[in-house]
Amino acid sequence: MTTASPSLSEPRLPELLPAAEGAARGGRFAAPITFALFGLADILLFGRNAHGDATFAFTPEFAKVSVPNLTLPGAATCYVCGGITLALALVRLLSVTGVLRLGRTGRRVILGVVLFLFIVALMAWAAAGQTIPFNVVNLLSGSLNDSIPIMLGALTGVICSTSGVVNIAIEGQLLLGAFCAAIATSVTGSLWLGLICGALAGSLVGALLALFAIAYTVNQIVLGVVLNTLVLGLTGYLYNAIMVPYGDTLNNPSTFGPLKIPGLGDIPIIGPVFFDANIFLYLTYVILALTQVGLARTRWGLRTRAIGEHPVAADTVGIRVLAMRYRNVIISGLIAGIGGAYFTIGSVGSFGPDMSSGEGYIALAAMIFGRYTPFGAVGAALLFGFTTQMQSILSSLNVPIQSNLLLLTPYVVTIIVVAGLVGKVRPPKAEGIPYVKS
């Protein structure tokens, strides 16, 4: 019979609420307090500074079907959104104190509505008094594209964590995938070969993670940080050594163009957002579906959840725990590598030092916010991608906020979401704990 090594000192991802009773009671009020702050921001920050009407456009350029613009009073819209948000904060407070019974679905609906109202108030404030309509379709399309690396990184984290391995090295997988995709495409001229090389680069980092975390039981959080630092230094050195002097041949890749799905791409509002994009977005759809169905409906998913929750029991019934962890970590690295390739051959068209810009760490936050589920992680990734696109649009609208502060928006949202909105999240029980057969 096999037993697991009691590596209880091995660090794990935080459960986001302390175990102490007093802290737990205080943590229960984090969500209603955060909702109330959002409501006050809608009223005091956006409403009081929104001057004039806000016009929203829902038709992109060259669209076959035109949708009329929507004009709303900027200040009134912000006040309404803030009032509703404060009412929802009160409802959430009543549920916390036990006065009102609110199930998990109800709590998630309130969270979604609060975030939606905050976004509407933000857009109404930004568009108020502008001469050019605020194009909502461009915002949504840009948000979806900006979310691709975060979504794929979050799915990588979900698979690894469900298998019992903490993958902090997503940042390094994204960065090395971007580097290798740029070089391979520049040298060969083949976008598909560049995509494959980017995916394999992410898998290579996954193999290093699996080797040291599983075979040598190295502290997984420290290991992930070391791998990120290694990739950052390696790609930075190679960029200066070979890409700068030979940029035309080694750092000049072409990019995938948009691929419009006939019929679906012409649907008003939805079509240009979801069905008129490059191949990376469609690959994300496929990977999300396979991950969700695979973890929830297949024998592989059942065994993966077993080795992440109770590896001793899984080994007892004949599941090869270590072999499955190896396979899952390495294969999931392919997903992160594809996300990294998006930076160079799906978007920018060249490699730059540290171009992942911390999106691997944001992907980890999205995984936690999504409660270690594929759809939840992707939904959280979309929120972070939206903040990135929104700060870009706000910069172009000359809003009275310094550009340096706007660049902090995605990271500030990450802190707010993890600290104030997530609540108590239970990771897989064996996550981060090495399994050693005796």
Side-chain angles (χ1 to χ4, degrees):
M1 184 173 176
T2 60
T3 58
S5 174
S7 304
L8 298 180
S9 61
E10 183 76 18
R12 299 178 59 182
L13 287 178
E15 295 192 13
L16 304 180
L17 279 182
E21 182 180 355
R25 284 199 299 267
R28 292 165 54 196
F29 296 95
I33 291 174
T34 305
F35 293 166
L37 292 177
F38 278 173
L40 293 175
D42 293 343
I43 296 173
L44 301 178
L45 180 61
F46 300 141
R48 295 182 60 183
N49 295 285
H51 306 292
D53 292 338
T55 302
F56 301 99
F58 299 93
T59 305
E61 294 185 64
F62 310 112
K64 292 184 177 180
V65 181
S66 178
V67 178
N69 293 346
L70 175 64
T71 301
L72 298 172
T77 302
C78 296
Y79 291 145
V80 170
C81 291
I84 298 174
T85 300
L86 291 176
L88 292 176
L90 177 60
V91 172
R92 191 69 176 87
L93 178 63
L94 294 176
S95 70
V96 168
T97 56
V99 177
L100 179 68
R101 294 181 61 86
L102 195 65
R104 177 181 299 179
T105 302
R107 294 194 297 270
R108 291 180 178 179
V109 169
I110 289 178
L111 173 60
V113 173
V114 168
L115 293 176
F116 174 75
L117 292 173
F118 182 79
I119 290 170
V120 171
L122 175 62
M123 292 191 300
W125 164 74
Q130 298 288 338
T131 57
I132 300 176
F134 191 104
N135 198 303
V136 177
V137 172
N138 291 344
L139 171 63
L140 296 177
S141 179
S143 300
L144 201 60
N145 289 326
D146 287 341
S147 301
I148 289 174
I150 305 176
M151 288 190 288
L152 294 176
L155 291 174
T156 299
V158 168
I159 295 174
C160 291
S161 293
T162 307
S163 304
V165 178
V166 178
N167 187 357
I168 305 293
I170 298 174
E171 178 77 5
Q173 291 175 313
L174 293 175
L175 191 57
L176 190 61
F179 177 83
C180 292
I183 285 188
T185 303
S186 299
V187 172
T188 66
S190 172
L191 286 167
W192 289 104
L193 185 58
L195 177 59
I196 293 173
C197 289
L200 292 176
S203 184
L204 174 62
V205 179
L208 292 175
L209 174 66
L211 175 64
F212 287 100
I214 299 173
Y216 296 101
T217 65
V218 175
N219 183 299
Q220 296 174 14
I221 295 177
V222 175
L223 173 61
V225 174
V226 170
L227 289 175
N228 289 337
T229 306
L230 172 65
V231 173
L232 177 62
L234 178 63
T235 54
Y237 168 76
L238 293 176
Y239 173 80
N240 291 320
I242 62 176
M243 280 188 163
V244 171
Y246 306 104
D248 292 338
T249 55
L250 296 180
N251 194 20
N252 189 27
S254 55
T255 59
F256 282 99
L259 178 62
K260 184 177 181 179
I261 298 179
L264 295 176
D266 295 324
I267 299 175
I269 302 177
I270 297 176
V273 176
F274 294 100
F275 306 112
D276 190 4
N278 64 29
I279 191 65
F280 284 94
L281 184 58
Y282 302 129
L283 286 175
T284 303
Y285 295 158
V286 174
I287 293 171
L288 171 60
L290 292 176
T291 305
Q292 176 66 36
V293 174
L295 288 177
R297 302 289 182 179
T298 66
R299 184 175 64 176
W300 167 78
L302 177 62
R303 293 186 173 187
T304 296
R305 286 182 279 123
I307 64 175
E309 290 290 342
H310 206 308
V312 176
D315 198 357
T316 301
V317 299
I319 299 175
R320 299 172 62 190
V321 175
L322 300 183
M324 279 206 69
R325 285 185 173 181
Y326 268 112
R327 287 197 299 267
N328 289 351
V329 173
I330 294 173
I331 292 175
S332 66
L334 295 172
I335 301 175
I338 294 173
Y342 170 79
F343 287 116
T344 49
I345 62 176
S347 177
V348 178
S350 63
F351 178 81
D354 194 21
M355 69 183 309
S356 53
S357 301
E359 293 197 6
Y361 298 109
I362 295 179
L364 285 173
M367 176 191 71
I368 298 172
F369 188 22
R371 299 181 180 274
Y372 297 85
T373 63
F375 275 115
V378 167
L382 288 172
L383 172 63
F384 299 128
F386 172 85
T387 62
T388 302
Q389 180 65 16
M390 193 66 188
Q391 66 88 12
S392 177
I393 292 178
L394 291 179
S395 299
S396 65
L397 292 177
N398 296 321
V399 296
I401 300 178
Q402 292 184 1
S403 58
N404 291 334
L405 295 178
L406 288 175
L407 292 174
L408 293 175
T409 304
Y411 309 102
V412 173
V413 170
T414 301
I415 295 172
I416 293 174
V417 165
V418 173
L421 296 181
V422 177
K424 188 174 183 179
V425 177
R426 188 191 71 83
K429 290 182 179 179
E431 183 193 33
I433 302 178
Y435 179 71
V436 181
K437 300 181 67 172
S438 62

